[in-house]
Amino acid sequence: MVSSFVNACTAKTGVAIVGVSCAKGGSAIAKWLPGTPYYQDAVRRARKARKFLAENGYTIRHSAMVWCQGCTDGDLHTPKDVYKADTERVLHSFMQDAGAQTCFLIQIGNQRDEPELYLPIQQAQEELTAACDDIIMVSRRFKTFAAKGLMKDRFHYLQPAYNEVGEEAGRSVAAYWNR
């Protein structure tokens, strides 16, 4: 997904992207709250990348984060209001601590065998992006893939699905930056 995102965004903007991976598969939002090891590691990585770029003469035109998380919270039945509040806290704290102006959110999909299971998390993500100008929804496509046979198990997608979401998100971010 990341390679497809970077390639699509760069093709539309003509500007190179530096990405810093902080992914932790299967993690609930509680693991990302400010002060937790996951959060501290992500902030450290982002700051280290910014420092390296500055020290080596690179100009940073935009600083943003891309966020795709929530399936584990669906599996854990995290209440929608708790997920929404915790996610908003994580995203806004991270943007402040890491120097990002925008969060581009990729909405989670559906659990293949229980398609309604993740709806509260998806609704929280919709509400969050509607309420916050600095959190922008850039793809909702994951939730279409179970019906298209693009899931390899109950939770994970086939590579073409990840590529498709990455491309859509990359084009959406480029359009946002080019406006």
Side-chain angles (χ1 to χ4, degrees):
M1 182 169 70
V2 174
S3 298
S4 295
F5 172 87
V6 169
N7 291 339
C9 191
T10 301
K12 293 285 185 188
T13 63
V15 177
I17 294 176
V18 173
V20 179
S21 177
C22 300
K24 307 284 186 191
S27 57
I29 194 65
K31 295 282 190 178
W32 288 98
L33 292 171
T36 62
Y38 286 2
Y39 181 88
Q40 291 173 325
D41 179 55
V43 169
R44 181 189 58 76
R45 289 177 191 219
R47 287 179 177 168
K48 202 169 177 178
R50 291 178 71 82
K51 182 176 185 242
F52 171 85
L53 293 168
E55 288 174 351
N56 288 278
Y58 292 94
T59 300
I60 299 173
R61 296 182 189 182
H62 304 285
S63 183
M65 64 186 293
V66 179
W67 186 257
C68 183
Q69 184 278 336
C71 296
T72 295
D73 289 287
D75 294 331
L76 296 172
H77 303 282
T78 302
K80 181 175 93 167
D81 59 332
V82 171
Y83 177 80
K84 182 179 169 184
D86 285 351
T87 300
E88 183 174 6
R89 182 173 165 214
V90 168
L91 300 182
H92 282 129
S93 294
F94 183 84
M95 285 190 278
Q96 181 178 342
D97 292 345
Q101 293 87 28
T102 312
C103 173
F104 297 111
L105 195 143
I106 297 172
Q107 188 175 56
I108 64 166
N110 297 324
Q111 202 260 32
R112 187 191 64 199
D113 298 342
E114 296 178 65
E116 307 294 315
L117 185 60
Y118 297 165
L119 290 181
I121 303 303
Q122 292 169 347
Q123 291 166 351
Q125 292 171 337
E126 291 287 351
E127 291 172 11
L128 192 58
T129 58
C132 301
D133 291 338
D134 56 354
I135 303 174
I136 312 298
M137 184 78 72
V138 293
S139 180
R140 294 175 175 88
R141 197 163 291 190
F142 273 131
K143 62 187 173 187
T144 69
F145 292 145
K148 294 178 182 177
L150 290 172
M151 296 187 75
K152 66 179 180 180
D153 60 30
R154 295 183 317 161
F155 310 104
H156 302 98
Y157 302 92
L158 298 172
Q159 190 61 50
Y162 289 114
N163 294 346
E164 194 174 314
V165 168
E167 289 170 15
E168 178 183 47
R171 287 190 308 270
S172 295
V173 169
Y176 177 85
W177 281 339
N178 284 336
R179 64 181 168 94

